[in-house]
Amino acid sequence: MAAGTEEAALGYEEARDELIEVVRRLEAGGTTLEESLALWERGEELAKVCRRRLEGARARLDASLATERATEAEEAGDEDAG
């Protein structure tokens, strides 16, 4: 699965939960070097998905807050003019 496709397919919670499982398996040990490397790489991909999802959520919140502030400033300006 391509990175862009995966990001679209995985929600934040799914990626986070899978990342937790990857970390648990790495910490538990008992895997071969190749398995450990594959798990590490998967963990890096999942961390990127989580980070992008969080950045997107933050951008949405910032945009919403900016709109709210602009509306409040506009309403305050209307009250001053009236």
Side-chain angles (χ1 to χ4, degrees):
M1 186 181 304
T5 305
E6 177 168 23
E7 187 170 337
L10 278 178
Y12 171 78
E13 290 80 6
E14 293 170 307
R16 180 204 58 212
D17 291 347
E18 187 177 342
L19 180 56
I20 289 169
E21 180 60 21
V22 165
V23 170
R24 187 196 63 74
R25 288 182 61 196
L26 284 169
E27 287 177 342
T31 58
T32 66
L33 177 59
E34 287 301 315
E35 291 169 333
S36 294
L37 287 173
L39 284 168
W40 179 269
E41 290 169 347
R42 180 65 180 154
E44 288 291 324
E45 292 170 12
L46 292 165
K48 286 178 188 176
V49 170
C50 289
R51 186 170 41 255
R52 287 186 184 121
R53 292 283 186 185
L54 289 171
E55 287 169 355
R58 184 71 196 168
R60 287 174 58 192
L61 285 171
D62 289 345
S64 179
L65 289 171
T67 300
E68 184 177 325
R69 285 187 201 112
T71 301
E72 289 173 357
E74 192 174 285
E75 289 171 355
D78 289 344
E79 289 176 9
D80 290 342

